[in-house]
Amino acid sequence: MTVDALDAGLDLLDRQVIDRDGKLLGKVDDLRFDDSAAGSPPVLAALLIGQRAFGQRLGGRLGRWWVAVAGRMAGGATPVEVSVRHVRELGPALTLDVRAESLPGLGRAERLLSHGFVGKIPGAHRESK
């Protein structure tokens, strides 16, 4: 997928992420940019999924607390980092061209929240329009 320009806050953050088999992985909690090219604007490199990434995005005292709790639940795991090369479809949800099992670090906290809580909400597996 190639996109020249987008508003990361509106088009990516907090969107559901679905693997190629339709499995809900979580939401985009933060973004990683590559700014290695001097004099050019940063380029989106990866989507970050995980409660620790969300806590870092929150910042402040609440963010530090969130990161600490998420770290305990996930056994210290870092956020799942999904290269933007794997985004197949950009819409109400982001669809990937890889399976969830191929993403290293999909932690206990994400599985617990996805399957134990979010997955039990009626309509959670449908895309929003």
Side-chain angles (χ1 to χ4, degrees), residues 7-121:
D7 184 326
L10 293 174
D11 297 328
L12 297 174
L13 288 175
D14 299 323
R15 298 283 176 146
Q16 291 184 8
V17 180
I18 301 170
D19 78 350
R20 75 179 203 186
D21 297 328
K23 182 178 179 182
L24 180 64
L25 303 179
K27 292 193 176 200
V28 177
D29 293 305
D30 207 352
L31 305 169
R32 184 175 62 79
F33 290 89
D34 181 15
D35 59 351
S36 60
S40 62
V43 176
L44 181 63
L47 311 173
L48 301 177
I49 303 170
Q51 296 305 308
R52 293 186 78 175
F54 179 70
Q56 292 167 353
R57 187 175 123 204
L58 279 175
R61 183 177 290 172
L62 177 61
R64 287 189 301 276
W65 175 84
W66 198 283
V67 167
V69 171
R72 286 191 177 193
M73 288 181 68
T78 59
V80 177
E81 195 167 303
V82 179
S83 171
V84 293
R85 295 187 321 254
H86 294 302
V87 177
R88 181 177 68 202
E89 185 178 331
L90 178 65
L94 302 178
T95 306
L96 305 179
D97 64 1
V98 295
R99 288 193 167 100
E101 294 78 28
S102 68
L103 298 172
L106 192 60
R108 180 177 155 215
E110 283 68 44
R111 288 193 305 271
L112 176 68
L113 289 170
S114 177
H115 301 293
F117 180 69
V118 176
K120 295 187 185 316
I121 297 173

